[in-house]
Amino acid sequence: MGLYVQGGKKVGGMYMADGRGNATKVGGMYYADGKGNATKIFQNYVPAGTVLWSGHAIFCSDNSDPIMGSNEVMQSVLKLPKYFKNLKGIKLTFGLGMIVKTYDVGSVYLFSSGEVDTNDIEEADGTSVSYPSSVKVTREQLMSGNATVFKSNYIHFHPSDTGGSDAVEKYDLEMYTDKTNGLVLAQQGQSLTNFLGMVVSNNYYSGKNDYYYAYPVLTKIESI
C-alpha cells in the first residue's frame, strides 16, 4: 500500500510530475498555471504562540559601553530555532528597562527601572524608563533585514524627560536581521556586527561627565 513512482519506488508525502517521468516532492498546496508550472498557495507556518526564545537580553557589542557591567548583555546575533520564511511574524515582549548611572569620577551603577536603594540613593535613585511592553514584527520585515521596533517618541524617561542643557536624547529601537533566522535589537544607525542597545542618553549634571543611560530588556520572542 502507499504511493509509488515509475520504477516501483515507494514514496511518502505529496509529489508532482514534471512530464519527463520524474516526480518532485512538494510541501503545502499548489495550483497549476496551465503551462506546466506549479505555484505554491499555502505555507505551513510555525503555530502562533510558539516560544522561540526567552530570557533577559540587552543588545550591545561595544566593550566600552557601561552596560557591559551587566550579565544580561547579548553581544552577538540572536539565532532563532525557526527560519523567518516559516514564520508569519514574531512578537517581542519586553521587561523592565535597565538604567546605567555614571559619575565624572568614574563610578558606574546599574539598576532596574524605578529601583531605589534605600541605603545609598547615589546608586539606585528611582530613575525609570518605559516603552511598549510588546511589539509585533511581520515576516516581510524580518526578511527585509531592517525594521523599526518602536520610535523614540514611545520612550519615556523620568524624572529628567525635559528640555534644556541636560535634555534627554532618545533613539528609535531598530531590529537588524540576517534575513534568515538571526537578529539584534539596537538604536538606529547600527548593524548586525556593531550595535548599541541604548535608547536614552541624559547628561544629568551639566558641565560634568555624569550620565544616565537606559536600555530596553528583551524577555521573550514568540511566533504570531
Side-chain angles (χ1 to χ4, degrees):
M1 298 291 289
L3 296 174
Y4 292 79
V5 294
Q6 186 176 2
K9 183 178 180 181
K10 189 172 182 179
V11 298
M14 296 178 64
Y15 289 73
M16 65 178 176
D18 64 2
R20 296 188 295 271
N22 302 311
T24 302
K25 191 169 184 178
V26 298
M29 295 178 65
Y30 291 73
Y31 75 89
D33 63 2
K35 300 177 182 178
N37 302 310
T39 301
K40 198 166 191 177
I41 59 174
F42 177 77
Q43 171 71 42
N44 290 318
Y45 292 109
V46 175
T50 300
V51 176
L52 305 171
W53 176 88
S54 64
H56 289 79
I58 300 164
F59 290 82
C60 186
S61 66
D62 186 347
N63 287 325
S64 66
D65 193 292
I67 196 61
M68 288 304 191
S70 169
N71 59 7
E72 299 179 351
V73 176
M74 183 76 69
Q75 300 183 50
S76 59
V77 174
L78 173 58
K79 294 282 190 176
L80 300 182
K82 302 294 183 181
Y83 291 118
F84 298 151
K85 66 181 182 180
N86 296 323
L87 297 164
K88 287 185 177 180
I90 59 174
K91 177 183 175 182
L92 306 172
T93 300
F94 295 94
L96 280 178
M98 179 70 73
I99 306 294
V100 174
K101 185 179 184 181
T102 68
Y103 288 94
D104 195 59
V105 295
S107 301
V108 178
Y109 299 101
L110 286 71
F111 56 94
S112 295
S113 175
E115 181 183 351
V116 177
D117 186 339
T118 56
N119 296 317
D120 190 349
I121 196 67
E122 291 298 311
E123 296 187 13
D125 58 11
T127 298
S128 66
V129 63
S130 62
Y131 39 72
S133 60
S134 64
V135 177
K136 292 181 179 179
V137 180
T138 67
R139 175 177 179 269
E140 290 72 23
Q141 289 175 311
L142 291 169
M143 297 186 72
S144 73
N146 181 217
T148 299
V149 178
F150 51 74
K151 302 289 286 184
S152 60
N153 59 305
Y154 285 93
I155 303 167
H156 302 285
F157 184 74
H158 304 283
S160 301
D161 213 347
T162 60
S165 60
D166 61 349
V168 172
E169 293 185 48
K170 301 178 186 177
Y171 309 91
D172 296 349
L173 184 67
E174 301 280 319
M175 173 182 288
Y176 303 91
T177 81
D178 61 6
K179 303 182 181 182
T180 304
N181 70 328
L183 61 87
V184 300
L185 302 181
Q187 61 181 243
Q188 67 261 37
Q190 308 294 298
S191 71
L192 274 174
T193 53
N194 296 288
F195 48 89
L196 297 172
M198 177 199 309
V199 293
V200 174
S201 174
N202 173 219
N203 184 193
Y204 64 88
Y205 198 122
S206 184
K208 287 191 175 183
N209 193 31
D210 293 353
Y211 277 86
Y212 286 116
Y213 302 107
Y215 306 76
V217 177
L218 179 67
T219 59
K220 186 167 64 173
I221 302 175
E222 59 190 301
S223 60
I224 59 175

